[in-house]
Amino acid sequence: MAVKDILEKLEHASNNPKELLKGYVTQGDKVVGCLPVYTPEEIVHAAGLVPMAIWGGNTTIEKAKQYFPAFCCSIMQSTLEYGLKGSYDELSAVIIPGMCDTLNAMTQVWKSGTKIPMICLTYPQSRKIQAGVDFLKSEFKNVKTKLEELVGHEISEESIIKSIEIYNEHRRVMKEFVELVPNYLNTITPYMRNAVIRSGCFMKKEDHTDLVKELIKELKAMPKEDFKGKKIITSGIILDDKGILDVLESNNIAVVYDNVAQETRQFRTLVPEGGDALERLAKLWAEIEGCSLAYDPQKLRGKMVLEDAKRLGADGAIYALMKFCDPEEYDYPIFKKDMEEDGLPHLLIEIEQGTTSIEQLRTRIQTFAEILA
């Protein structure tokens, strides 16, 4: 299959999660929605269910206003709006991880406002000590029990281990893809790069792995491309708005790597070896670095971005700040200091789902492109 055809398939999956959901349900699969940022999808997969990420979207907020104030993260507002309007009614359940104040509130709001069964869990912030691993393992046991009630059978240790292997393979393939992107920046535009990654949120992992493997094979068969523009690293919770990504491309800016929660943070850390399956999944949380939702007294995020920028020859960085996201807002001053001390130009842009106009962002990105020139 040609590169163009593979990209079209992945782009379609990225833009049509509702169609994929209907397809899964029609063929007899039960689907579980997984809210940001990290959920134990391997347990869902091991149960014979289809885990499908939920990251909100561009919709008019009407019903959600009854539950959330205006100064609430737009990902949660739009997710709730879709839930209240029935867009997720074909889901068999949702998993909501308590990673911030808004997600914690979402558990109660979801329970009172929708009819879709909910499984909630808490991620410990003291995550690098054994007590934190033990606590999260107990939370995962509860998730496992709830899913067993949903499917009517036990989820075996062997099935979870097999699912971990499938997901770790997907992580390795995605890591290979993002490392390959800098060699093909004319073909893999900022929008298309995001589409390849984002489609993995909605497709079955085995299917997505196979498509991305084929894409990697076809890209490697092509000569490396000479990109004449500027290269950046992105960071934030989410940066999947086509309008913004197209503005980057129109200003001859390519994304060579990212530190974005919806993108590489989903797959850059493998589930480690050692212990039983649930303990291994709990240890994964202890090994994630550079994320505003994971307690990090050393604040490694900026240093990680700078390391990737040097490694890949990036000209600058963009910090996509999700509006009203406290963890991201607290991280930014330290990120800014790291960039300035190293001399890497960076741009702060504010992201909000459902925004009708990006003209101010267009102007700011144009200015940034001129600074990098």
Side-chain angles (χ1 to χ4, degrees):
M1 196 185 307
V3 168
K4 180 176 179 292
D5 296 327
I6 301 171
L7 291 176
E8 284 179 355
K9 279 193 172 188
L10 293 169
E11 180 187 10
H12 183 81
S14 174
N15 292 334
N16 296 278
K18 183 68 174 178
E19 179 184 312
L20 291 178
L21 173 59
K22 285 183 178 294
Y24 296 145
V25 173
T26 300
Q27 65 188 25
D29 289 322
K30 289 184 177 181
V31 183
V32 174
C34 300
L35 272 69
V37 167
Y38 308 104
T39 53
E41 288 191 21
E42 289 89 342
I43 306 175
V44 180
H45 183 274
L49 302 163
V50 178
M52 200 168 183
I54 294 176
W55 286 85
N58 292 324
T59 185
T60 303
I61 305 300
E62 297 171 343
K63 295 186 177 184
K65 292 178 181 177
Q66 302 172 38
Y67 297 88
F68 279 135
F71 52 87
C72 170
C73 163
S74 58
I75 296 177
M76 292 298 103
Q77 293 220 41
S78 58
T79 295
L80 180 60
E81 186 72 24
Y82 284 128
L84 295 172
K85 288 180 177 177
S87 297
Y88 300 141
D89 283 356
E90 290 175 295
L91 295 175
S92 295
V94 299
I95 298 178
I96 304 179
M99 291 190 157
C100 67
D101 290 343
T102 309
L103 275 165
N104 289 333
M106 183 65 144
T107 60
Q108 304 310 304
V109 168
W110 190 272
K111 186 187 298 184
S112 62
T114 78
K115 62 181 182 182
I116 305 167
M118 174 201 66
I119 303 170
C120 62
L121 71 153
T122 300
Y123 277 74
Q125 288 304 302
S126 297
R127 59 197 181 91
K128 291 186 176 291
I129 59 174
Q130 188 59 42
V133 174
D134 293 342
F135 174 83
L136 187 54
K137 180 180 175 180
S138 70
E139 290 288 286
F140 287 168
K141 281 183 179 178
N142 180 61
V143 172
K144 176 174 174 287
T145 299
K146 297 290 185 182
L147 291 173
E148 287 171 340
E149 293 172 359
L150 179 62
V151 297
H153 63 77
E154 182 183 358
I155 304 171
S156 68
E157 173 79 2
E158 292 74 19
S159 64
I160 302 177
I161 290 173
K162 183 178 179 181
S163 293
I164 289 174
E165 291 172 354
I166 289 170
Y167 269 71
N168 267 354
E169 182 187 14
H170 181 261
R171 291 181 176 101
R172 292 187 187 96
V173 169
M174 292 308 299
K175 287 169 71 173
E176 184 179 0
F177 167 73
V178 295
E179 291 293 343
L180 193 62
V181 166
N183 295 325
Y184 301 96
L185 294 176
N186 296 319
T187 298
I188 309 297
T189 63
Y191 165 69
M192 199 53 69
R193 180 184 184 277
N194 176 263
V196 173
I197 297 172
R198 187 172 182 264
S199 57
C201 295
F202 312 127
M203 294 177 65
K204 291 182 178 179
K205 284 295 183 288
E206 300 93 328
D207 296 341
H208 192 254
T209 298
D210 289 343
L211 265 180
V212 178
K213 275 184 177 179
E214 191 169 356
L215 175 61
I216 290 170
K217 178 184 175 183
E218 293 300 323
L219 284 173
K220 285 183 174 180
M222 295 167 48
K224 293 181 181 180
E225 297 174 345
D226 183 18
F227 179 70
K228 299 296 186 182
K230 296 299 179 180
K231 305 171 185 178
I232 63 163
I233 310 269
T234 56
S235 190
I237 295 294
I238 188 171
L239 184 54
D240 65 349
D241 185 284
K242 186 178 186 301
I244 298 173
L245 295 172
D246 284 348
V247 169
L248 292 177
E249 182 184 359
S250 66
N251 282 277
N252 213 18
I253 295 175
V255 177
V256 291
Y257 205 72
D258 76 86
N259 182 306
V260 175
Q262 192 201 36
E263 298 182 24
T264 59
R265 288 187 210 163
Q266 293 296 310
F267 52 76
R268 71 185 178 198
T269 308
L270 298 179
V271 176
E273 300 293 333
D276 59 39
L278 293 184
E279 181 160 352
R280 290 176 62 192
L281 291 174
K283 286 179 177 178
L284 173 64
W285 177 235
E287 296 191 6
I288 288 174
E289 301 292 359
C291 178
S292 59
L293 281 302
Y295 177 59
D296 174 20
Q298 294 181 303
K299 294 299 178 184
L300 297 175
R301 179 176 176 178
K303 297 176 179 63
M304 290 171 66
V305 168
L306 288 170
E307 182 180 328
D308 289 326
K310 289 182 174 66
R311 179 171 64 88
L312 298 167
D315 302 292
I318 288 183
Y319 192 104
L321 174 64
M322 175 56 63
K323 192 173 183 179
F324 301 127
C325 178
D326 290 348
E328 285 288 287
E329 290 174 349
Y330 290 138
D331 258 18
Y332 176 65
I334 301 168
F335 181 93
K336 179 176 183 286
K337 181 182 178 183
D338 286 339
M339 298 303 110
E340 290 176 345
E341 287 181 350
D342 194 82
L344 185 72
H346 82 283
L347 173 67
L348 171 69
I349 60 174
E350 193 172 65
I351 302 296
E352 185 173 24
Q353 291 184 339
T355 301
T356 56
S357 174
I358 62 166
E359 293 312 307
Q360 288 188 354
L361 288 180
R362 185 188 305 277
T363 302
R364 300 197 67 207
I365 292 171
Q366 287 173 342
T367 304
F368 187 57
E370 291 171 4
I371 291 172
L372 296 180

